[in-house]
Amino acid sequence: MTIAYDDHPDPEPEDLHRWTERGFTVAEARRWIDNGFLLGSAERWRGSGVYTPGDAYAWRTAGLSPYTVQPLLRAGMTPRDAVQWHELGYSHTEAAERHLAGERPRPRRWWRTLLGHHPRKSDTLTGEQSATMRALLRSGVPVATGRAYLDAGWRDAATAVPWARTGLDPAQAAVYHSIGFTPSEASTLAEAGHDGFELLRQWWDAGIPRTEVPAWAVAGFTPDDARHARDAGTTAEHAAVLRALSGQSAPKPPEERN
């Protein structure tokens, strides 16, 4: 069987004495040669922090090189992790950031299609995105969260920062924002067990205008309560007063009500 050294079929591995002159033992040299590495490549892998030919072979198979592997090593990733993230559509740089932030590989979420947002075509941020990312990081938002908000279409820093700081999933945040909730109100509702999409459906099904939903919901009304109150003559302006005085006491989710 012909071994393709460093993915090239023609080069022949150097003599063992060349390897030992560069600090390899004979046994180490044989293992690197058996895995298809030339001396210079073996040295580059060891210089990048990959010290065994088996690991270097695995990283190379995963699509990494000595020049690109270090961010993944610093994030504590394995070649298997790199392959899983890459198969799900993440670049190696983004995978390292998300892995370091504690995320596990998972598909890019369906809500990007639902909300009309699409993954970025490259890892190069536009000027506006870069400015927003810097603002997010300065405000204490983790890197992975900031990237998730950018991916979900949050471009304006003044809007993205307060919502990202809530820690809400960017899709949930987009729903609450589109209804008219403040970041604090949305965070309170989420902590009480509400789902933004389900909340939106319930209030629309009850026939409550979208612009009135935050006033009624934060004031403690259920969709049915709000509908009956409106029928009895209570206005959204009255609910807004209650909203301001409520201290953002979120109603319980439907399954917890008596």
Side-chain angles (χ1 to χ4, degrees):
M1 181 180 67
T2 301
I3 297 176
Y5 290 95
D6 288 330
D7 297 324
H8 297 287
D10 295 331
E12 292 291 331
E14 298 86 351
D15 292 335
L16 287 177
H17 78 271
R18 293 276 307 279
W19 289 78
T20 57
E21 286 176 352
R22 304 287 276 271
F24 292 82
T25 67
V26 171
E28 288 172 340
R30 290 190 184 280
R31 287 196 293 272
W32 283 99
I33 292 171
D34 288 345
N35 277 274
F37 291 92
L38 298 173
L39 175 56
S41 179
E43 290 181 320
R44 286 191 291 273
W45 278 107
R46 296 213 305 187
S48 71
V50 180
Y51 300 105
T52 67
D55 287 342
Y57 183 84
W59 281 115
R60 188 175 68 182
T61 302
L64 279 298
S65 75
Y67 306 105
T68 59
V69 74
Q70 287 190 336
L72 284 75
L73 292 174
R74 286 194 293 268
M77 296 176 66
T78 66
R80 180 181 177 84
D81 293 327
V83 170
Q84 289 178 333
W85 281 105
H86 186 69
E87 288 179 345
L88 293 173
Y90 294 86
S91 70
H92 294 314
T93 299
E94 186 178 5
E97 292 171 346
R98 292 179 180 273
H99 186 92
L100 188 61
E103 296 187 35
R104 300 307 304 159
R106 61 183 183 273
R108 290 189 180 274
R109 297 182 180 180
W110 58 268
W111 45 258
R112 293 202 182 99
T113 300
L114 177 65
L115 298 179
H117 301 309
H118 302 281
R120 287 178 286 105
K121 298 302 182 182
S122 74
D123 287 328
T124 302
L125 300 181
T126 66
E128 182 185 23
Q129 290 172 321
S130 296
T132 298
M133 190 64 178
R134 288 193 297 271
L136 288 165
L137 296 177
R138 283 197 300 268
S139 71
V141 173
V143 171
T145 300
R147 291 292 289 267
Y149 268 75
L150 288 181
D151 285 351
W154 294 79
R155 296 292 184 264
D156 178 62
T159 304
V161 167
W163 282 98
R165 291 183 66 180
T166 66
L168 288 171
D169 179 282
Q172 290 283 324
V175 173
Y176 282 116
H177 176 60
S178 68
I179 298 173
F181 289 101
T182 67
S184 179
E185 290 168 345
S187 180
T188 300
L189 287 165
E191 289 174 2
H194 289 274
D195 175 86
F197 291 100
E198 181 62 17
L199 183 145
L200 179 63
R201 182 193 64 78
Q202 291 168 356
W203 285 89
W204 279 3
D205 285 353
I208 307 300
R210 178 180 61 84
T211 55
E212 294 186 15
V213 171
W216 292 108
V218 176
F221 289 81
T222 67
D224 286 341
D225 290 340
R227 185 176 67 249
H228 294 318
R230 292 175 87 250
D231 291 344
T234 302
T235 66
E237 286 71 23
H238 293 145
V241 174
L242 294 175
R243 177 190 187 186
L245 297 175
S246 68
Q248 298 172 357
S249 177
K252 292 182 179 180
E255 62 273 14
E256 296 183 15
R257 300 183 194 128
N258 294 325

